[in-house]
Amino acid sequence: MPLRRLTAARSLVIVAGLQFLALSALAAAPPAAPRAAPRLRNVIFLIPDGMGTAAVTLLREYEGRPTHLDSLLVGVCRTYSADSKVTDSAAAVTALACGIKTNNRMIGLDPAGRPVANLLEAAQSRGLATGLVVTSRITHATPAGFAAHVPERNQEEQIAAQMLEHRIDVLLGGGREYFLPRSAGGKRLDDRNLVSAARAQGYQYVATAAELRGPLRRPLLGLFDDDHMTYEADRDPAAEPSLAEMTGKTLDLLATDPDGFFVMIEGSRIDHAEHDDDAGATRYEMQAFDAAVGAAVSFARRDGQTLVVATADHETGGLSLGRLRSGNSLYAYYPEVLRGVRASGWKMVQAIRTGASGDSVLRVWAGLDSLGDADRTLLAEGIAGDDVSLDHNLNEIVSRRALIGWTTYGHTGIDVGLYAFGPGAELFRGVHDNTDVAGLIAGLMGFDLAGLTAKLRAR
Ligand SMILES: [Zn+2]
């Protein structure tokens, strides 16, 4: 990484608003010595799981104004894994966190099964404070990529244990079930209680939004749900905090570290909404993620020494804005249909399975008053089928009305947007492989991922 470019980038930030002076400084920059450059102290790495650029367009058109992400767009990332054109979240996070391609389902290991160091470990080795903030189980693939090395992403008991061994300063999300033994209502088969273990390590433990709104200290473990946190569409703000609220609390706690911090913040459930082909829930998840981006950028603007990077691990659902209707290509789609959607498809399934009629559920929770024949067929088939088919069919009724299309209940292989703000942001411009992101962050921060990987393997 050319030091001159880095110095120039920092100059631009320092004299923000005085662009003429900054450009003069760029032209006249003396040969840069590393110690002369102002420090880039902090990194906020935001991962919107499953977010393609269509999801950003949908949010922008729904809101009728630019998103926070829009002003940060600098490039795109390719997402393929070592063994497939379509990555899963495990291989993708290994690329983003460790800078290497690996096989689907593997976390923090190369395809031969050897451990590879990640950005959070590199930050810790330099004395930075660290954090992981998610809305899925915190033992899910994306956060695991910054705190674990396992051959199979489903090894969530091991992931929880490795996460605690890392002594990360702030851990917030769902997934209490993998921290508790079965005797305490959890899923751990080894009978360990990792919440007790965390307390013994000195962690403050919080489990409700109210507790997160009280006095906090580092290290902090917050587990707000047994499983994933509730979809944003269905979330009770009195019970569970929003992603933006968790982001704000985390930045407050980490910003006091004199050495700086590294934090990964994931909009985990954009992916889940899109696995359900649920346009309404996707809109809510996108709003929640974009609010967290706004919180991160306003921190970085105030601070001036913080790099914000955001990129998805892959796209999910094959979301498209515009679709065939009865064999006809219509040049339209209607994001305003989603204004009537006030619950996830799964909440509507629960309402129907506990006695509400399909018509009333679609009227009250999806804002659909008049159902056509094709809607009624989908509804009847869904009700006669299992919960997954009912969820899919309810979501399909809404998507058809909005002319929003989906190609899969899984992931796709398209490029995803790359967003950056702060010192060094210009280095992220262009078409990148997802492995470049870790390399660029490591280069800017002076992290030695290769050296740390060698140490991991020598253990
Ligand atoms: Zn993912």
Side-chain angles (χ1 to χ4, degrees):
M1 165 42 249
L3 284 168
R4 183 177 292 252
R5 289 179 67 189
L6 184 54
T7 307
R10 285 164 177 170
S11 303
L12 277 167
V13 167
I14 289 159
V15 296
L18 297 172
Q19 289 184 1
F20 174 78
L21 280 180
L23 290 170
S24 306
L26 178 70
R35 281 175 201 160
R39 277 187 67 199
L40 168 60
R41 283 165 48 88
N42 312 314
V43 175
I44 303 174
F45 193 175
L46 294 135
I47 301 182
D49 200 308
M51 185 192 81
T53 55
V56 184
T57 309
L58 177 63
L59 177 63
R60 187 192 311 123
E61 296 300 324
Y62 178 88
E63 299 274 18
R65 58 178 164 78
T67 67
H68 291 295
L69 282 165
D70 284 333
S71 62
L72 275 52
L73 182 68
V74 288
V76 294
C77 272
R78 304 170 71 192
T79 64
Y80 66 94
S81 69
D83 65 343
S84 177
K85 290 270 191 292
V86 178
T87 190
D88 80 334
S89 297
V93 72
T94 302
L96 293 172
C98 309
I100 62 136
K101 295 281 185 187
T102 195
N103 297 334
N104 286 0
R105 306 203 68 80
M106 298 176 88
I107 287 174
L109 304 177
D110 70 9
R114 296 171 299 186
V116 184
N118 64 59
L119 291 169
L120 186 144
E121 291 165 337
Q124 287 188 318
S125 78
R126 286 266 313 279
L128 276 68
T130 54
L132 295 174
V133 179
V134 303
T135 50
S136 62
R137 296 190 297 272
I138 199 152
T139 49
H140 215 234
T142 304
F146 292 87
H149 304 273
V150 291
E152 164 53 58
R153 57 183 288 176
N154 285 353
Q155 294 173 287
E156 294 187 57
E157 284 185 55
Q158 290 93 317
I159 290 167
Q162 291 188 25
M163 215 164 245
L164 273 198
E165 284 163 17
H166 274 78
R167 296 175 181 269
I168 296 163
D169 296 272
V170 178
L171 290 168
L172 298 178
R176 205 183 290 130
E177 62 197 18
Y178 286 105
F179 285 73
L180 296 175
R182 283 191 293 182
S183 56
K187 285 191 171 175
R188 294 193 70 85
L189 301 174
D190 63 3
D191 232 31
R192 290 182 68 193
N193 185 325
L194 295 188
V195 171
S196 304
R199 283 195 170 115
Q201 278 184 30
Y203 275 89
Q204 178 185 1
Y205 174 66
V206 295
T208 65
E211 287 170 0
L212 188 72
R213 289 164 196 154
L216 299 174
R217 61 170 175 78
R218 295 198 323 237
L220 174 68
L221 172 66
L223 299 174
F224 303 102
D225 207 302
D226 291 331
D227 193 351
H228 303 307
M229 290 176 69
T230 304
Y231 267 139
E232 181 66 17
D234 310 328
R235 182 175 64 87
D236 172 4
E240 293 179 42
S242 70
L243 184 62
E245 187 174 7
M246 292 194 289
T247 297
K249 298 288 184 191
T250 299
L251 295 179
D252 286 347
L253 283 171
L254 297 181
T256 59
D257 194 292
D259 299 305
F261 65 81
F262 173 89
V263 63
M264 192 286 292
I265 297 163
E266 186 192 31
S268 317
R269 304 208 70 196
I270 301 166
D271 175 67
H272 298 162
E274 292 171 330
H275 273 291
D276 294 341
D277 291 3
D278 185 337
T282 298
R283 186 271 290 179
Y284 275 100
E285 292 302 318
M286 282 297 300
Q287 281 179 313
F289 177 73
D290 199 53
V293 173
V297 170
S298 64
F299 174 90
R301 262 186 221 289
R302 286 195 307 274
D303 175 74
Q305 294 181 295
T306 300
L307 172 66
V308 178
V309 176
T311 193
D313 49 350
H314 53 78
E315 197 272 349
T316 304
L319 170 64
S320 81
L321 308 176
R323 62 181 281 172
L324 289 170
R325 176 184 279 168
S326 309
N328 295 312
S329 309
L330 303 178
Y331 284 59
Y333 84 99
Y334 307 115
E336 62 273 17
V337 167
L338 303 184
R339 290 197 196 293
V341 180
R342 297 191 294 115
S344 70
W346 277 110
K347 185 166 177 178
M348 296 187 229
V349 168
Q350 284 166 12
I352 290 171
R353 294 302 191 213
T354 51
S357 76
D359 281 67
S360 71
V361 164
L362 282 169
R363 188 174 60 248
V364 172
W365 295 113
L368 299 183
D369 272 328
S370 52
L371 298 186
D373 290 345
D375 297 331
R376 293 205 170 280
T377 303
L378 275 173
L379 182 57
E381 285 173 1
I383 289 171
D386 61 12
D387 288 356
V388 171
S389 345
L390 179 54
D391 177 50
H392 287 167
N393 286 11
L394 291 167
N395 296 336
E396 173 68 1
I397 291 168
V398 173
S399 289
R400 283 186 185 179
R401 194 69 65 94
L403 288 180
I404 286 172
W406 305 90
T407 62
T408 176
Y409 295 119
H411 298 174
T412 68
I414 66 167
D415 295 347
V416 293
L418 178 57
Y419 308 82
F421 174 84
E426 75 285 352
L427 299 179
F428 294 80
R429 190 177 299 152
V431 181
H432 290 277
D433 221 321
N434 54 2
T435 51
D436 297 344
V437 177
L440 286 169
I441 293 173
L444 283 163
M445 293 296 286
F447 292 163
D448 180 13
L449 286 172
L452 275 176
T453 295
K455 276 190 197 163
L456 270 181
R457 292 180 184 179
R459 267 188 203 168

